Amino acid sequence: MSITKDFFGKTAAGTAVERFTITNQNNMRVSLITYGASIQRIFVPDKTGTLRDVTVGFDDLEGFENRSDYQGAIAGPYANRISEGAFVIDGTTYPLVKNEDGVKTLHSGGEYTHTVWQGKESGDNAVTFSYTRPDGLNGYPGAIAAEITYTLTEGNELVLSYRCVSDKKTYINPTNHTYFNLGGFDSGDILSHKLTIHASRFTPVNEASIPSGELREVAGTPFDFRQQKPIGQDIEHPCEQLQNTGGYDHNFCIDGWNKQLREAAVAVCEETGISLVVSTDLPGIQFYAGNFLKGIIGKSGLPMNRRCGFCLETQYYPDTPHQPSFPSCLFDAGEEYRSQTVFAFRF
Ligand code: GLA
């Protein structure tokens, strides 16, 4: 195990951004940058031993700053959507930034994603990023002290450990928004990847991608990934749910959620022999098929075309502040939010 550190770039505002690269004995190599506490690349050996970067994103800081669609980044303090541009806590209404269609909030307006975090190595296989937001930024309550530790193991797992504490009662729901392509970032679309999601139910949404509150059975729908199937098999099915979002972009309710780490999803690329197993202690996982990607220039100057990467964003369900029946992610002042997500690679 080893960690090296290099200079990744300077933001337009002049802040230096560092990159940490952790390497294990099996030649897996993960690079993390302080901008957005982001995963910048993950090299995994394929079945011929050739290293493939299985994350779609950017080689340069300018991409993360100006062209980002959350590639590799942490989204938060509340990932995913909040409707109505506001929420209420104990009778106080907090108006939020409405960065999607001028009516709703997506990924907290990019707050965590576009922040330069403090980065620090812990030992020879982990990096911790920290950031304390000011109370009220973008209307969002709570000076939340957030810490995200990425640990690479000799078992080829990248472990993401989140710890947040707010000085005020607030919603806390960060995620990592890496776009994966297990064929390599430059290998085209992800439609032939085979996916399993251990979820019997998902949260259907309206045309604005806001959940109705219903937990719908996946059985008999294109959302049934309980047996592995190619991502592309049903993605063009003309059902209302896939029309609403232009392809998969839904929260799945992980079966048997009990706040302990459990396997939530498995993606397999047969061409390279690389698989990804996602485990989490959170109740939901957003499977987003990269439907909105439309050719922005990414690594090696190549365009990130529609569906050239997929995201498996572990989370509390979207719009939880407006859905009292969803598992709650409202934390008291001083109450610790802790969660873990593991991206385990098999090759
Ligand atoms: C999440 C959302 C998608 C999209 C992406 C960023 O995955 O669910 O709808 O907004 O982020 O483009």
Side-chain angles (χ1 to χ4, degrees), residues 69-70 80-81 100 106-107 177 179 249 286 288 292 313:
D69 209 359
Y70 305 93
N80 215 300
R81 295 182 173 80
E100 196 173 57
L106 174 64
H107 300 317
H177 202 292
Y179 290 80
D249 188 0
Q286 184 86 6
Y288 169 52
F292 295 133
E313 304 153 57

